[in-house]
Amino acid sequence: MHCPYCRHPDSRVVDSRTSDDGGTIRRRRQCPQCSRRFSTTETASLSVLKRSGVSEPFSRAKVISGVRKACQGRPVSDDQLAVLAQRVEEDIRGSGQAEIDAHGVGLAILQPLQELDLVAYLRFASVYQGFESLDDFEAAIRRLRDEGPASS
């Protein structure tokens, strides 16, 4: 890390603190050359590999946007969608991967969405998993019924 004051190519970490959500680390540094202090913020990057081969940063807003369509007309609040997106990001980061394909993001959305609203889950799964007939819907509904009591 170059000193922003004298451009010395090294610095010493004086203090480190993790943010409340654990997503960033704030480091207080001191330059051994000029002795001035400065702060840096570090975040772990998470990229999504699109089908086109393009890599872009993970976006909770894109998760919310995609899931919001499935939740249209359902009793799901914006706060619940924000929590779902946070959970999806945490699950992906917890896997230890720095890059995940778009399909993997969709898979990470399915379980939290199923717990949030079963109708929205079926809508999302029907597009994401490419349901082609009523038999696909019936099989998904049968599986949900077999798993346990319905919450929605």
Side-chain angles (χ1 to χ4, degrees):
M1 178 75 218
H2 289 275
C3 173
Y5 303 107
C6 70
R7 303 299 298 155
H8 186 72
D10 196 18
S11 64
R12 178 173 75 86
V13 175
V14 177
D15 183 41
S16 293
R17 296 181 187 206
T18 306
S19 66
D20 290 337
D21 67 357
T24 61
I25 297 174
R26 182 176 178 268
R27 298 196 192 276
R28 192 76 180 136
R29 297 176 176 271
Q30 185 171 12
C31 175
Q33 182 77 28
C34 68
S35 297
R36 292 183 78 177
R37 291 185 175 199
F38 57 97
S39 295
T40 59
T41 304
E42 299 176 16
T43 59
S45 64
L46 178 60
S47 299
V48 177
L49 184 62
K50 308 296 270 183
R51 279 184 234 143
S52 65
V54 175
S55 183
E56 64 182 41
F58 177 85
S59 168
R60 286 186 190 180
K62 283 193 172 189
V63 170
I64 291 170
S65 172
V67 174
R68 180 173 278 130
K69 293 170 190 160
C71 293
Q72 195 167 7
R74 300 296 303 155
V76 176
S77 70
D78 287 342
D79 288 343
Q80 289 173 306
L81 291 177
V83 169
L84 180 138
Q86 179 179 352
R87 183 172 164 198
V88 168
E89 183 177 3
E90 288 170 355
D91 289 348
I92 293 170
R93 285 189 187 278
S95 72
Q97 298 173 291
E99 186 172 72
I100 186 168
D101 63 7
H103 182 76
V105 174
L107 288 176
I109 290 171
L110 287 173
Q111 185 61 43
L113 185 56
Q114 180 179 338
E115 293 168 11
L116 180 62
D117 187 275
L118 292 177
V119 172
Y121 165 80
L122 282 171
R123 289 175 178 171
F124 188 86
S126 71
V127 173
Y128 181 74
Q129 295 176 337
F131 288 11
E132 294 181 5
S133 68
L134 289 176
D135 292 336
D136 294 333
F137 276 97
E138 289 172 348
I141 292 169
R142 194 173 319 109
R143 184 183 54 77
L144 289 172
R145 286 189 173 136
D146 291 344
E147 285 178 5
S151 61
S152 298

